[in-house]
């Protein structure tokens, strides 16, 4: 299994508070991704990174920011959490290439009250 | 606009029979297609893939078929086993760094 961890695994927070989720990899993969999974929507890309300090938006990036200061760490920040951001968040990594097979972390369940 | 669609949210199959999961896509420029499997409280795991130059790829009990003219792919699992009960996502790729996922199909194998 790819070495990828997420922290925290569960979090309950209140509307308006900032939240940061961390993804850590030990595979030295170039690409890192943040997805959210919601019923009826599958996996939707929030942001991704193609190198240290290089990031780009996905299809549902509003309300989220990311940072990657080291190859192994990719942070997702909700500056002011809203109830619509209650979801399960997955980090993924890949080496790119044609198929771009991605390896996923175990997920973080976030509840915004 | 959903470019990758899985129109069946759920599917129940008897153990030992064939499971067929379907996926449709709208963009003919997709080059690669992947299937992922997800158990509750875990991240998705890669299952099998196929490139647009092929129409079939097989790996043990799992076979993926691609029909480019219909923009349709399917995953066949035979024989189905209880451990196959999971949510299955299809995904598509232009040959770049991003995947586009479908909404998933929950497969339940009945013992």
């Amino acid at each position: 299994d790819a070495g990828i961890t997420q922290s925290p695994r569960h979090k309950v927070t209140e509307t308006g508070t900032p939240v940061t989720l961390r993804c850590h990899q030990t595979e030295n993969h170039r690409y890192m991704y943040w997805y959210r999974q919601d019923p009826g929507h599958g996996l939707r890309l929030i942001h991704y990174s193609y190198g240290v300090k290089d990031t780009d938006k996905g299809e549902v990036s509003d309300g989220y920011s990311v940072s990657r200061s080291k190859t192994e760490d990719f942070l997702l920040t909700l500056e002011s959490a809203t109830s619509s951001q209650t979801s399960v968040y997955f980090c993924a990594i890949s080496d790119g290439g044609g198929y771009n097979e991605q390896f996923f972390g175990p997920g973080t369940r976030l509840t915004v009250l | 606009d959903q470019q990758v669609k899985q129109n069946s949210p759920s599917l129940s199959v008897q153990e030992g029979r064939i499971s067929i999961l379907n996926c449709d896509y709208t963009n003919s420029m997709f080059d690669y297609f992947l299937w992922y499997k997800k158990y509750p409280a875990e991240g998705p795991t890669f299952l099998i893939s196929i490139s647009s130059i092929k129409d079939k790829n097989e790996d043990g009990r799992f076979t993926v078929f691609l029909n480019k003219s219909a923009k349709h792919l399917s995953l066949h699992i035979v024989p189905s086993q209880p451990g196959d009960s999971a949510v299955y996502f299809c995904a598509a790729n232009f040959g770049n760094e991003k995947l586009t996922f479908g909404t998933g199909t929950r497969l339940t194998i009945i013992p």
Side-chain angles (χ1 to χ4, degrees), chain A:
Chain A
D1 288 345
I4 177 169
T5 57
Q6 293 183 230
S7 59
R9 294 293 314 278
H10 302 270
K11 186 169 182 66
V12 180
T13 191
E14 297 199 346
T15 298
T17 59
V19 176
T20 295
L21 308 182
R22 180 179 182 244
C23 178
H24 179 78
Q25 62 149 329
T26 58
E27 304 298 319
N28 201 35
H29 281 2
R30 177 183 177 188
Y31 297 94
M32 298 186 75
Y33 308 82
W34 278 108
Y35 292 89
R36 59 179 290 174
Q37 186 198 0
D38 303 289
H41 291 279
L43 291 159
R44 293 182 292 174
L45 182 65
I46 304 171
H47 283 280
Y48 70 102
S49 168
Y50 47 96
V52 173
K53 297 193 191 312
D54 293 323
T55 65
D56 205 351
K57 296 179 179 180
E59 62 177 298
V60 290
S61 59
D62 287 349
Y64 302 94
S65 63
V66 290
S67 66
R68 191 172 179 196
S69 59
K70 297 186 290 185
T71 299
E72 57 266 35
D73 290 324
F74 193 33
L75 304 180
L76 177 71
T77 297
L78 292 67
E79 300 290 348
S80 177
T82 67
S83 58
S84 65
Q85 294 175 312
T86 292
S87 186
V88 180
Y89 291 86
F90 290 101
C91 176
I93 62 175
S94 83
D95 256 343
Y99 285 94
N100 191 28
E101 180 185 336
Q102 296 180 13
F103 302 93
F104 283 80
T108 295
R109 181 172 294 276
L110 176 67
T111 302
V112 183
L113 302 175

Side-chain angles (χ1 to χ4, degrees), chain B residues 19-89:
Chain B
S19 296
I20 300 176
L21 296 97
N22 294 304
C23 181
D24 296 299
Y25 59 96
T26 58
N27 195 326
S28 58
M29 300 300 290
F30 284 130
D31 280 330
Y32 302 97
F33 302 89
L34 302 85
W35 284 95
Y36 280 80
K37 176 180 181 178
K38 185 186 177 306
Y39 292 121
E42 294 183 12
T45 55
F46 170 74
L47 193 56
I48 192 170
S49 60
I50 189 168
S51 79
S52 60
I53 64 172
K54 296 185 176 181
D55 54 19
K56 177 182 174 181
N57 188 27
E58 201 169 347
D59 183 2
R61 295 186 299 113
F62 302 91
T63 303
V64 56
F65 295 93
L66 176 62
N67 182 335
K68 290 188 291 292
S69 61
K71 296 192 183 69
H72 177 83
L73 66 156
S74 60
L75 174 67
H76 293 213
I77 306 172
V78 55
S80 300
Q81 299 174 353
D84 296 330
S85 294
V87 176
Y88 290 79
F89 292 99

